[in-house]
Amino acid sequence: MTTSEELLAALQRLRLPETDQDPVALGWIKDAKVVGRVAAFTLALPPSRMAKRDDLERAVREGLRGLPGIDDLAIHVVAGAEQAAPQRGLANVKHVIAIGSGKGGVGKSTVSANLALALAKTGAKVGLLDADIYGPSIPLLLGVADQKPLVQGNKLQPIERLGLRMMSMGFLLPNADDPVVWRGPMLASALRQFVQDVNWGELDYLLVDLPPGTGDVPLSLVQLLPLSGAIVVITPQAVAAAIGTKTLKMFQQTRVPILGIVENMSHFVCEHCGHDTPIFDTGGGKRASEASGVPFLGEIPLDPKIRHTSDMGTPVVVAEPDSPPARAFVALAEALREQVSTAAGSH
């Protein structure tokens, strides 16, 4: 007759598809016990594995077949938390903050670059990780697209400019316009290298510019990184706000604290007459904030200066520090610092 302890030992001997650890070590097994002739437990899969729940449950059943005295398996499959093990490359980083969006085209990378620069202007040590492997734009926004990282002591050295330390797939491509034609496993390997094998050094903040959406790469990063929290960038219109909420819910389901919502392209102010025009509607960020119960960090205007300075490789926070959009990014940085401090104090 199999005991509860023997059931747990049998689970520890399993190796499930696409894993190199047993489900117990991964934290996927909860409340394993034997009741009569039934072995019962909860299989708490991380959200990134829920699409494979049937295959994983089938593999568990197959692996436990033939346990003495067991006639049936009662397996309750639920969505658990992603496992975020500390990474050696980030040992001296105080706060890792993910910046995500539900869709492309909302200016997430531009927000990431200017927010990083605004934080650096406070005297903080700031890093910026461009995790959009397919569409890296940080090198262009920061004017370093032609630079290549050095390798010292088996570590990639970040590219540095304007007080930021940066890493991006764009630095590793032979040409800036070369495509990255990779499948999932290669993406995960590159991301792991950016986390573990880059000499980030001592940082107060590492901002991670995620690719848009809730696919494999954002989920892999949530699992890889010891995140202090996440920001979601949206634009005001209802469709964009609704899609952005999906990314917000992804962070919530993976137990990542939401530091707040940023509304980009909130309004356009004519430089000639001063008229305020809400080109993409108005109030979407505040509505999303109220509906989800997460902080609203602020609004960034739709201003040609942001586009022009970004194209020139010196974002508006540095190029035109007294301009309204630059002041908006500085206010955003201060709101973020307050939220990070509040979140850290609550733990």
Side-chain angles (χ1 to χ4, degrees), residues 193-212:
Q193 184 178 20
F194 286 167
V195 172
Q196 296 181 339
D197 298 330
V198 172
N199 182 22
W200 290 106
E202 292 188 4
L203 294 176
D204 296 299
Y205 302 96
L206 175 63
L207 302 189
V208 183
D209 181 22
L210 296 177

Side-chain angles (χ1 to χ4, degrees), residues 83-335:
Q83 189 180 47
Q87 300 297 325
R88 63 179 183 271
L90 304 180
N92 297 313
V93 178
K94 292 180 181 177
H95 301 291
V96 182
I97 300 169
I99 302 178
S101 67
K103 61 190 291 294
V106 301
K108 172 182 51 58
S109 295
T110 301
V111 169
S112 298
N114 280 281
L115 178 56
L117 290 168
L119 287 170
K121 288 176 70 112
T122 69
K125 297 177 181 178
V126 183
L128 181 55
L129 170 55
D130 183 357
D132 193 344
I133 302 297
Y134 288 132
S137 55
I138 293 300
L140 293 170
L141 292 173
L142 273 300
V144 286
D146 60 342
Q147 296 196 32
K148 303 298 179 187
L150 299 175
V151 178
Q152 295 179 359
N154 297 321
K155 289 279 189 179
L156 284 168
Q157 304 302 306
I159 300 297
E160 297 193 26
R161 182 168 187 256
L162 300 175
L164 300 182
R165 299 173 191 168
M166 295 167 278
M167 185 51 62
S168 170
M169 178 56 68
F171 297 138
L172 305 180
L173 297 173
N175 303 294
D177 58 354
D178 286 348
V180 176
V181 188
W182 287 356
R183 293 189 182 275
M186 295 180 70
L187 292 175
S189 177
L191 293 170
R192 191 172 294 107
Q193 184 178 20
F194 286 167
V195 172
Q196 296 181 339
D197 298 330
V198 172
N199 182 22
W200 290 106
E202 292 188 4
L203 294 176
D204 296 299
Y205 302 96
L206 175 63
L207 302 189
V208 183
D209 181 22
L210 296 177
T214 58
D216 286 345
V217 174
L219 282 171
S220 294
L221 279 165
V222 167
Q223 189 172 13
L224 272 173
L225 295 167
L227 292 173
S228 299
I231 297 171
V232 178
V233 179
I234 67 171
T235 47
Q237 67 268 43
V239 170
I243 296 174
T245 301
K246 295 179 183 292
T247 296
L248 187 149
K249 290 183 176 180
M250 177 197 76
F251 288 129
Q252 290 175 326
Q253 290 175 7
T254 51
R255 307 296 193 272
V256 176
I258 308 298
L259 298 171
I261 292 174
V262 178
E263 182 182 285
N264 195 30
M265 308 182 201
S266 62
H267 59 276
F268 170 73
V269 179
C270 177
E271 63 179 344
H272 302 293
C273 68
H275 182 66
D276 191 334
T277 304
I279 292 177
F280 297 113
D281 201 356
T282 185
K286 290 181 179 178
R287 288 193 296 272
S289 169
E290 292 168 358
S292 57
V294 303
F296 181 61
L297 296 179
E299 300 174 348
I300 305 299
L302 179 64
D303 192 309
K305 292 184 180 68
I306 298 177
R307 192 277 308 164
H308 175 70
T309 56
S310 295
D311 285 351
M312 296 300 292
T314 304
V316 70
V317 165
V318 173
E320 299 197 33
D322 295 325
S323 65
R327 291 198 298 268
F329 281 117
V330 170
L332 173 60
E334 185 57 37

Side-chain angles (χ1 to χ4, degrees), residues 61-72:
R61 290 184 178 277
E62 183 67 27
L64 296 180
R65 179 180 294 179
L67 288 177
I70 300 299
D71 295 336
D72 194 18

